[in-house]
């Protein structure tokens, strides 16, 4: 059997440099169905249509947002 590889443009990677910052962000978005998958202590995948709301929440936490396309 061959390994399965999924490529999608339906989600967005959100990364932080510090796991504590990710914990703060996750504390704000938990229960809001933003996260599609937690990849590690500093990385999550979110729904594509939740980018704006995620940026607003990050800014409220005084986190600097850098968008990379």
């Amino acid at each position: 059997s061959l390994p399965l590889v999924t490529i999608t443009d339906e989600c967005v990677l959100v990364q932080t440099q510090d796991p504590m910052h990710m914990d703060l962000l996750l504390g704000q978005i938990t229960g809001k169905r933003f996260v599609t998958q937690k990849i590690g202590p500093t990385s999550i995948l979110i729904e594509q249509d939740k980018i704006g709301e995620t940026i607003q929440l990050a800014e409220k936490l005084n986190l600097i947002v850098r968008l990379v396309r």
Side-chain angles (χ1 to χ4, degrees), residues 25-35 47 50 53 57 60:
L25 188 57
L26 284 172
Q28 295 295 309
I29 62 178
T30 298
K32 296 183 181 181
R33 299 186 184 189
F34 279 45
V35 179
E47 297 287 341
K50 301 295 186 185
E53 292 174 70
L57 291 170
K60 284 182 183 178

Side-chain angles (χ1 to χ4, degrees), residues 6-43:
T6 303
I7 299 173
T8 181
D9 63 354
E10 297 172 356
C11 59
V12 176
L13 176 66
V14 176
Q15 288 183 306
T16 62
Q17 292 180 345
D18 185 337
M20 286 181 32
H21 295 152
M22 182 57 71
D23 288 341
L24 287 172
L25 188 57
L26 284 172
Q28 295 295 309
I29 62 178
T30 298
K32 296 183 181 181
R33 299 186 184 189
F34 279 45
V35 179
T36 59
Q37 183 179 358
K38 185 173 181 181
I39 298 172
T42 60
S43 302

